[in-house]
Amino acid sequence: MTDPLTETDALRAAAETMRQVRERCVWSQRITHRDLVPYLIEEAHEVIDAVERDDRAELREELGDLLWQVLFHSAVAAQHPSAPFDIDDVARGLTEKMVRRHPHVFADAVATTPEEVLVHWNAAKAAEKRERTSVLDGVPAGMPALARAQKVLGRASQVVEMPVPAPAPSSEAELGDVLLALVAQARASGWDAERALRERLRALEDEVRAAESA
């Protein structure tokens, strides 16, 4: 049996560790992709927290925990009876996609500004996602409402005009104050702020899809 601690390739050692845990740990053997979702969300938020607190030691550890989730999902997927894939397939697909989306790095395209980079990125992404019929396709339904609102607004602005209420906050700190005040108002009124935003987003999405089909 391979000893992961003697493996000189750190990523390969992590993958081998996960493989052995999946095969030999009775708890891990029973875990499904769905079972892992809460852990994936938690680990992602812990990475975000470490970034926002600028805690380098914590960030290093939390990135490892997040990587473990990727390895765990890949180990589960490798045992699928009819459509298996493993961490090498995941990594290979990622590499191929990133090369396609960076023709200014790996081919002869030119991009001298961040805006030009985005042009290449979006063109490659559009070519990959030709089955999509709406700018809203691909926005995860399970995102928290506020994060999803920011994503949907960015997509919706390509189709419908999005008014900015006045007076607008002049800084991100002021925006935080406004959002907190709105949540406090919702709480005082007995409203669910998260649900209110989700319902408003559904109305906006209906408006975007109606405009696209007009």
Side-chain angles (χ1 to χ4, degrees):
M1 180 179 299
T2 303
D3 181 359
L5 295 178
T6 64
E7 171 62 64
T8 57
D9 183 328
L11 285 174
R12 178 54 55 192
E16 175 60 21
T17 301
M18 180 67 254
R19 185 188 67 78
Q20 292 191 33
V21 167
R22 175 66 175 176
E23 292 180 355
R24 301 171 62 195
C25 170
V26 292
W27 181 85
S28 299
Q29 289 169 353
R30 300 174 61 184
I31 294 297
T32 68
H33 289 299
R34 287 181 178 273
D35 294 333
L36 285 173
V37 168
Y39 301 103
L40 179 59
I41 293 171
E42 179 180 350
E43 298 300 351
H45 281 291
E46 289 180 354
V47 169
I48 293 167
D49 186 54
V51 168
E52 294 180 344
R53 289 187 292 103
D54 196 23
D55 188 328
R56 303 289 296 170
E58 191 73 11
L59 177 59
R60 177 180 176 179
E61 180 179 352
E62 297 304 341
L63 284 172
D65 291 344
L66 188 59
L67 174 60
W68 185 254
Q69 292 301 306
V70 176
L71 294 172
F72 208 149
H73 275 285
S74 299
V76 173
Q79 295 178 336
H80 192 278
S82 60
F85 61 83
D86 61 16
I87 190 62
D88 289 320
D89 297 313
V90 172
R92 191 176 300 111
L94 172 64
T95 299
E96 292 171 354
K97 180 166 66 174
M98 290 302 107
V99 169
R100 283 196 309 272
R101 293 189 183 182
H102 293 81
H104 55 292
V105 175
F106 299 103
D108 56 1
V110 176
T112 58
T113 66
E115 292 75 19
E116 291 175 347
V117 170
L118 285 177
V119 169
H120 292 309
W121 178 278
N122 290 330
K125 189 172 181 178
E128 295 165 7
K129 309 292 184 180
R130 288 175 180 164
E131 74 281 1
R132 293 183 175 177
T133 59
S134 170
V135 296
L136 300 177
D137 290 348
V139 178
M143 291 177 71
L146 192 57
R148 191 165 189 271
Q150 189 146 341
K151 190 82 170 178
V152 168
L153 286 172
R155 301 283 187 90
S157 63
Q158 302 174 40
V159 180
V160 297
E161 187 173 349
M162 302 303 304
V164 177
S170 60
S171 69
E172 197 167 275
E174 283 190 16
L175 175 61
D177 291 338
V178 171
L179 291 172
L180 187 60
L182 287 172
V183 173
Q185 180 182 344
R187 183 175 180 274
S189 301
W191 301 332
D192 185 322
E194 183 87 359
R195 182 175 62 236
L197 184 54
R198 282 199 307 269
E199 291 178 352
R200 182 63 186 89
L201 278 174
R202 278 193 283 271
L204 173 59
E205 289 169 328
D206 289 343
E207 180 183 348
V208 169
R209 294 185 189 279
E212 288 175 325
S213 61

